[in-house]
Amino acid sequence: MIDNLKAFLDSKVAQYNQPGFITNDPICIPHLFTKKQDIEIMGFWAATLAWGQRVTIINKCRELIALMDGAPHDFVMNHGDIDLKKLLSFKHRTFNDIDTLYFIHFFRHHYSNHNSLEDAFVPSKDHTVILSDSEESGRRTSIVPISESVENSLNQFRSYFLSLPDFPYRTKKHVSSPSQKSTCKRLNMFLRWMVRKDDCGVDFGIWNKIKPADLIMPCDLHVDRVARKLNLISRKQTDWQT
């Protein structure tokens, strides 16, 4: 066991939380843009596609950007049916053209009513959500109250994301939530990018409605393994409660 754990962790923060880290990490994708909505769209997409080798993730995101003519927000808001045909070739592991088209559909719906994707995580009023993910035929709905916790924000976001008419059932697997006992690694990573005020130039800190202190550490297999070696985790399961 490391004697001074805080000093060790602080040294790792200094090692990785610096601009030189950006180039070979998926966070380099939203860093290609300066427009807030472009940063949000490609940050969300890069986080969603962040499984597998980093080089592949980055290349697939660059491919997606090219398919959207280098301007994600403009493409989302102004595309026509012919433009969407270009996206039918896009695929990354289990993420396919059906998922891609629904993401575009969701973004267009959201940005037609809101200026920032942040509002999807911190809604301004009660909204209708999906209660049952297990029923492929038919959906039951209820009203979810506003909550300021990240846990409830993630639950609300998934419900909102899947609330549009005729959403593809298969796309559910790409957006997790604490209500499913998931660690929500990708969404927590995306929130960190958008929320954390970083004077080192890595995270963006362009959102203000979620407090940086409320962020949850993204936990995947690698983080879990290291945390257990450092005796930071003792629970057997690796899920939201962990």
Side-chain angles (χ1 to χ4, degrees):
M1 181 64 182
I2 297 173
D3 292 333
N4 192 334
L5 182 57
K6 182 180 185 303
F8 172 74
L9 293 176
D10 285 343
S11 71
K12 292 303 177 183
V13 171
Q15 179 180 352
Y16 293 108
N17 191 45
Q18 44 90 9
F21 171 79
I22 295 173
T23 303
N24 298 314
D25 186 83
I27 199 175
C28 73
I29 295 301
H31 271 287
L32 295 172
F33 302 95
T34 57
K35 183 179 178 181
K36 182 178 183 179
Q37 291 82 2
D38 287 336
I39 292 171
E40 292 174 340
I41 291 170
M42 288 315 304
F44 183 80
W45 230 316
T48 300
L49 300 181
W51 80 98
Q53 295 183 341
R54 286 186 294 174
V55 172
T56 302
I57 295 165
I58 292 169
N59 287 340
K60 295 304 292 188
C61 287
R62 289 182 179 274
E63 176 187 338
L64 185 59
I65 292 169
L67 291 172
M68 293 190 288
D69 302 321
H73 182 248
D74 182 69
F75 182 91
V76 162
M77 300 307 296
N78 300 304
H79 67 266
D81 291 342
I82 294 178
D83 300 313
L84 293 178
K85 289 183 178 180
K86 297 185 297 182
L87 299 174
L88 297 180
S89 63
F90 185 78
K91 181 179 181 181
H92 174 60
R93 298 173 76 100
T94 65
F95 192 97
N96 67 13
D97 55 332
I98 295 174
D99 306 312
T100 303
L101 293 178
Y102 184 74
F103 271 49
I104 294 289
H105 178 50
F106 169 78
F107 284 136
R108 187 177 210 172
H109 167 79
H110 179 77
Y111 284 113
S112 294
N113 297 283
H114 302 277
N115 185 56
S116 172
L117 190 58
E118 182 176 17
D119 294 315
F121 289 85
V122 187
S124 59
K125 60 182 179 180
D126 291 353
H127 64 286
T128 303
V129 303
I130 301 167
L131 280 181
S132 175
D133 285 339
S134 61
E135 301 177 52
E136 294 197 32
S137 59
R139 290 183 289 170
R140 295 179 298 154
T141 59
S142 182
I143 300 298
V144 172
I146 298 305
S147 172
E148 295 182 354
S149 74
V150 166
E151 178 177 352
N152 280 281
S153 291
L154 293 180
N155 285 331
Q156 291 167 1
F157 172 75
R158 186 173 191 267
S159 296
Y160 170 45
F161 182 82
L162 299 174
S163 68
L164 302 188
D166 302 321
F167 73 87
Y169 188 82
R170 58 158 286 116
T171 304
K172 288 185 176 185
K173 64 186 175 185
H174 295 300
V175 179
S176 58
S177 68
S179 64
Q180 301 170 285
K181 309 301 181 184
S182 170
T183 61
C184 301
K185 173 246 181 175
R186 297 177 184 88
L187 283 176
N188 279 320
M189 182 170 67
F190 172 66
L191 288 183
R192 173 197 153 153
W193 294 350
M194 297 298 107
V195 173
R196 184 170 176 266
K197 311 297 182 184
D198 182 10
D199 57 5
C200 295
V202 178
D203 297 316
F204 293 89
I206 56 177
W207 288 3
N208 298 302
K209 296 179 182 178
I210 297 175
K211 299 176 182 178
D214 292 334
L215 294 173
I216 305 295
M217 177 180 290
C219 185
D220 60 8
L221 178 65
H222 307 292
V223 172
D224 180 85
R225 183 171 62 245
V226 172
R228 291 184 188 280
K229 286 184 178 180
L230 297 175
N231 292 328
L232 295 174
I233 295 177
S234 58
R235 194 166 177 272
K236 286 186 177 181
Q237 300 94 326
T238 302
D239 55 20
W240 180 259
Q241 187 176 339
T242 303

